[in-house]
Amino acid sequence: MYLYYFLAALSTWFGLQSLLSGIRYAAYVRRETSRPLPDFQPFVSVIAPGRGLEPGLIDNLRPLVAQDYARYEVLFVFDMGDDPAIRIVDELRATVPTRTVIAGPATDSGQKVHNLRIAVNEIDAQSEVLVFVDTDARPAKDWLRKLVAPLADETIGASTGYRWFVPERGGIASRLRSVWNASVASALGSDTAKNFCWGGSTAIRRSTFTKLNVSERWRGTVSDDFAITHVLKEAKLPIHFTPNCLVASVGDCDFRELLEFTTRQIKITRVYASHLWLPLLLGSALFAIAFFGGL
């Protein structure tokens, strides 16, 4: 019984630390969202890798070609030329230059990483900033301007947002996915050394990308965001979290898809960020022992 009380006390202490972390996160979000944006709008290349007809795809892609931003292009990248999503891209009424890039099958990297490596070789020569976005994200009209603005500070390595799962019809599995993901979002904040790049909404100067040889460092990996995070931390360049760029990912899932999603994320974390995986495992195990032990 004494052992149980000891574990329960530890679990309570960790819970209080998590609460304080949430309070700090909320304060950071309020502070950042009230700060005026720098007037920094260089030419940007937005790269959007995709595959297949995801639910709500047209609603996700339409904001990409109608951003409140002066000069940019959008490159849609697909594995194969017969991907049905290409028809959706062709039907978009774009107000900016758009191109479709066919990357072909991957040989020495994950397919998404391979697609990105091919696409960065196709960007416009005048491009100063690269932006990576996922096609299951639904950005706001000013998303690009707010994501790029922090790069006015040339000492910043990258600017990143994060996703927020928004259930469409509801259901327990969809809500559990949203809550599980939200706990990761709240880990981002003012400490640039602890932040990480989310591949679905990241901006980096082209000069930084080239100098750090990110494309070559991507070779042989399956996680574009963990890899680029590792490269930036190795170079001691800060990663700025931009809460203005929390991007909605609208849709539902069943329990099988929930388990597949969470398992994939945990496996990737174990491989690319083992220093995070072990504390999370121990913390989750402690909570589970205290909770079910109490029952």
Side-chain angles (χ1 to χ4, degrees):
M1 182 60 73
Y2 287 118
L3 176 61
Y4 168 73
Y5 283 133
F6 174 72
L7 294 177
L10 275 181
S11 185
T12 302
W13 185 81
F14 282 123
L16 288 173
Q17 295 303 309
S18 178
L19 175 62
L20 292 174
S21 177
I23 293 172
R24 287 192 293 268
Y25 174 79
Y28 175 78
V29 169
R30 285 194 298 270
R31 187 166 64 251
E32 284 293 308
T33 52
S34 62
R35 183 178 298 174
L37 291 176
D39 185 19
F40 180 64
Q41 294 194 42
F43 189 92
V44 172
S45 293
V46 178
I47 299 176
R51 176 191 290 171
L53 295 174
E54 305 168 4
L57 180 63
I58 186 65
D59 294 323
N60 297 340
L61 299 186
R62 192 177 288 118
L64 290 181
V65 298
Q67 286 291 302
D68 182 17
Y69 194 89
R71 299 163 55 245
Y72 74 103
E73 63 172 352
V74 183
L75 282 72
F76 296 101
V77 197
F78 298 95
D79 309 354
M80 307 300 290
D82 59 355
D83 193 300
I86 295 177
R87 177 179 55 82
I88 301 296
V89 170
D90 292 340
E91 292 175 358
L92 286 174
R93 298 182 62 184
T95 58
V96 296
T98 64
R99 279 182 283 156
T100 299
V101 178
I102 306 303
T107 56
D108 57 0
S109 309
Q111 187 64 55
K112 181 184 177 184
V113 173
H114 171 76
N115 290 5
L116 292 175
R117 294 186 67 230
I118 295 297
V120 294
N121 293 323
E122 301 292 331
I123 62 174
D124 195 293
Q126 64 180 319
S127 179
E128 295 182 44
V129 173
L130 304 180
V131 169
F132 306 105
V133 62
D134 286 345
T135 55
D136 63 348
R138 191 170 299 176
K141 194 174 180 63
D142 57 357
W143 158 80
L144 186 58
R145 184 167 58 90
K146 290 179 175 179
L147 185 64
V148 171
L151 296 181
D153 181 354
E154 295 187 21
T155 65
I156 289 178
S159 169
T160 188
Y162 199 66
R163 68 174 156 238
W164 198 276
F165 282 114
V166 179
E168 195 165 25
R169 295 185 303 273
I172 295 177
S174 299
R175 290 186 169 93
L176 282 175
R177 181 177 66 170
S178 182
V179 171
W180 191 89
N181 180 77
S183 65
V184 180
S186 61
L188 297 160
S190 59
D191 191 344
T192 57
K194 292 183 178 179
N195 288 339
F196 57 87
C197 294
W198 175 53
S201 188
T202 287
I204 183 172
R205 283 179 176 267
R206 184 179 186 177
S207 57
T208 303
F209 186 90
T210 303
K211 179 181 178 182
L212 298 181
N213 201 18
V214 175
S215 183
E216 189 60 29
R217 296 290 295 275
W218 266 339
R219 185 189 296 275
T221 67
V222 296
S223 174
D224 56 303
D225 37 20
F226 268 122
I228 197 170
T229 297
H230 178 72
V231 171
L232 289 169
K233 289 185 182 299
E234 195 177 73
K236 293 182 170 53
L237 290 175
I239 298 170
H240 180 83
F241 169 55
T242 309
N244 280 312
C245 295
L246 277 172
V247 182
S249 187
V250 183
D252 297 306
C253 69
D254 55 28
F255 280 101
R256 182 187 61 79
E257 292 169 326
L258 170 65
L259 183 62
E260 179 184 303
F261 168 74
T262 53
T263 300
R264 182 174 65 251
Q265 298 303 313
I266 290 171
K267 284 182 175 179
I268 290 174
T269 303
R270 183 178 182 182
V271 173
Y272 289 96
S274 56
H275 64 288
L276 294 177
W277 179 82
L278 185 58
L280 289 172
L281 173 66
L282 295 176
S284 300
L286 176 63
F287 173 81
I289 291 170
F291 181 81
F292 289 106
L295 293 179

